Amino acid sequence: MQHSPSSKRLVLVVEDETMLLTTTCDMLEDEGFEVLAAPDADAAINLLGSHGDEVGVLFTDVRMPGSMDGLELSRVVRERWPHIRILVTSGHIRAGSSALAGSRFVSKPYRLTQVSALLRQAMSEAAGDTEGAAAAVLQRAVASAR
């Protein structure tokens, strides 16, 4: 379930229900994604400490045990790793929640095709942002060289 990261196609899945975590990771791998798995937000932060540059998307449940829930995890990830796109899932909150600002939402139970499409879209956007950020750095370097 845990592969060596190689690109922004890496998805970090955070889910405290072991069976759902395993099933989701297996299905995403079958769809061609590289996957890291974490049972809670604390484990996710630890994984991001060593793989944050490679992760393209965080896919997290909202309700889970530990020092923070999925919404707080999303906030921390937006601050520390702004290049990571966030997909939040829950069976308890709805997409209109203001706590989801800056994240995409998919309600439980979700379909793999729905999640896979949202992940591909988020990764495509992340790749575009990376190219845009690189272009901005290059423009600043050229401007300062003049």
Side-chain angles (χ1 to χ4, degrees), residues 11-70:
V11 178
L12 173 55
V13 179
V14 187
E15 171 63 60
D16 63 312
E17 294 180 38
T18 304
M19 182 64 88
L20 185 54
L21 177 62
T22 301
T23 301
T24 301
C25 290
D26 288 346
M27 290 188 314
L28 290 176
E29 287 174 344
D30 289 346
E31 287 289 309
F33 294 101
E34 292 183 55
V35 179
L36 290 175
D40 57 42
D42 298 315
I45 293 293
N46 286 336
L47 284 170
L48 287 168
S50 56
H51 300 292
D53 291 341
E54 295 94 18
V55 172
V57 179
L58 168 70
F59 180 38
T60 184
D61 188 17
V62 171
R63 288 190 177 178
M64 63 184 123
S67 66
M68 65 182 96
D69 65 11

Side-chain angles (χ1 to χ4, degrees), residues 60-125:
T60 184
D61 188 17
V62 171
R63 288 190 177 178
M64 63 184 123
S67 66
M68 65 182 96
D69 65 11
L71 297 176
E72 179 64 14
L73 172 62
S74 297
R75 187 192 65 72
V76 169
V77 168
R78 274 193 296 280
E79 288 177 3
R80 292 189 195 168
W81 298 277
H83 70 277
I84 296 176
R85 296 299 184 253
I86 301 169
L87 179 59
V88 176
T89 187
S90 177
H92 305 284
I93 66 170
R94 295 292 164 235
S97 172
S98 62
L100 295 171
S103 304
R104 287 194 168 82
F105 179 79
V106 61
S107 63
K108 285 183 175 179
Y110 48 77
R111 292 183 329 269
L112 172 63
T113 55
Q114 179 185 21
V115 171
S116 182
L118 287 169
L119 290 174
R120 289 184 199 292
Q121 182 180 11
M123 288 188 173
S124 176
E125 290 171 4

